Amino acid sequence: MRMKKKTTSAASGAAKRRKGAPAARKSRPGKTAAKRAGTKRAGTGASTRGAVASGDKSTIRSLRAQLARAQARIEELQASAETDFLLDILNRRGFERELARSLSFIKRYQASGALILLDVDRLKPINDAFGHAAGDEVLKAIVAAISDQVRASDVIGRLGGDEFAVLLWNLSETDARAKAAALEEAIDRLTFMFRNSQVTAGASAGVAILTAHSDIDRVLDEADRAMYVRKAQRRHESREL
């Protein structure tokens, strides 16, 4: 009889433990909910990071666009600072920059080139007699005449009121001097009518050859001295006529 009671008591305890087991399993959904909440928070965090990353990309694109506009404006201002507005060619600053760049290229690659300086004759008397509008018309016609005589790769600049410069590539000294003479002739042929008066201008040209040993100051000085020698020669020739 005692054995039966122990067996019954053991069975009853086992049954109670089995009944308690589902209660233990019921606590797991709480952990699942926590995991889901954690996953949701993680998803929210990823979404936030995605939104921030998207915002950063938008900001970067905006900054790049602003930088591009600023660079374009800088280039525009630089071009304005190096351009003669009346004649739409390089001014002294722009031409000297191109000359310095060309000399660097010649030194590095053993290329050849020439500089021609042109001093316009009789521009001051034209301005004095007919006004600066007449002088401006003469200058524009001279630039057009020079442009007709040089190649698209050559560079034309205005160094001062009545002084022009031409930078020419890949030609011999003989060809450079022939080109200078052709420029003089083209400008000498120009005629203008101001107040029923026929007016001519003219120009004197000086040449300097560009070599690997040239520098900008020496080249400009050489061409300038050659131009004044040529101007004196032309005056002498005109007196003989």
Side-chain angles (χ1 to χ4, degrees):
M1 293 296 295
R2 290 178 184 176
M3 291 294 294
K4 287 182 182 181
K5 286 182 180 180
K6 288 181 180 181
T7 301
T8 302
S9 177
S12 176
K16 287 180 180 180
R17 285 194 297 271
R18 283 195 299 271
K19 288 181 181 180
R25 285 195 298 268
K26 286 180 182 179
S27 64
R28 291 179 182 174
K31 293 182 180 180
T32 303
K35 288 182 179 178
R36 288 176 180 172
T39 303
K40 185 176 181 181
R41 285 193 297 272
T44 303
S47 177
T48 302
R49 287 193 296 273
V52 171
S54 178
D56 288 344
K57 290 179 180 178
S58 177
T59 301
I60 291 171
R61 284 194 297 269
S62 177
L63 290 174
R64 284 176 177 171
Q66 292 178 29
L67 178 60
R69 288 194 296 270
Q71 288 174 335
R73 181 57 178 163
I74 290 171
E75 292 174 0
E76 181 182 343
L77 291 172
Q78 182 178 9
S80 298
E82 297 180 350
T83 301
D84 185 287
F85 290 104
L86 174 65
L87 305 175
D88 196 27
I89 58 175
L90 293 175
N91 59 18
R92 187 180 193 98
R93 175 180 176 180
F95 187 84
E96 288 187 352
R97 178 179 58 80
E98 285 298 320
L99 179 58
R101 182 184 299 174
S102 299
L103 288 173
S104 297
F105 183 90
I106 287 170
K107 289 176 183 179
R108 182 171 183 178
Y109 297 104
Q110 301 298 310
S112 61
L115 172 68
I116 299 177
L117 289 190
L118 290 154
D119 186 77
V120 178
D121 300 327
R122 299 181 294 278
L123 182 63
K124 187 178 185 303
I126 292 173
N127 283 330
D128 293 342
F130 304 103
H132 286 279
D136 291 346
E137 184 177 334
V138 171
L139 292 174
K140 290 176 182 178
I142 288 173
V143 170
I146 295 172
S147 299
D148 288 341
Q149 293 289 325
V150 300
R151 302 159 295 185
S153 59
D154 298 328
V155 182
I156 305 172
R158 184 185 184 186
L159 302 188
D162 59 357
E163 191 173 60
F164 295 88
V166 184
L167 175 61
L168 305 115
W169 283 97
N170 299 323
L171 75 174
S172 66
E173 182 175 354
T174 301
D175 291 337
R177 298 192 183 283
K179 179 58 68 176
L183 290 171
E184 285 184 352
E185 184 179 353
I187 295 171
D188 287 344
R189 287 197 304 265
L190 296 174
T191 59
F192 307 89
M193 291 295 296
F194 301 123
R195 300 175 191 166
N196 297 321
S197 298
Q198 182 171 299
V199 177
T200 60
S204 303
V207 179
I209 303 304
L210 309 182
T211 69
H213 303 290
S214 299
D215 64 67
I216 185 169
D217 292 331
R218 187 183 306 170
V219 165
L220 287 169
D221 183 63
E222 181 182 347
D224 191 59
R225 285 187 285 106
M227 181 268 293
Y228 277 107
V229 169
R230 177 58 180 156
K231 183 178 283 290
Q233 182 183 0
R234 280 169 61 89
R235 285 173 180 165
H236 180 71
E237 292 171 352
S238 65
R239 282 197 297 267
E240 288 184 345
L241 295 174

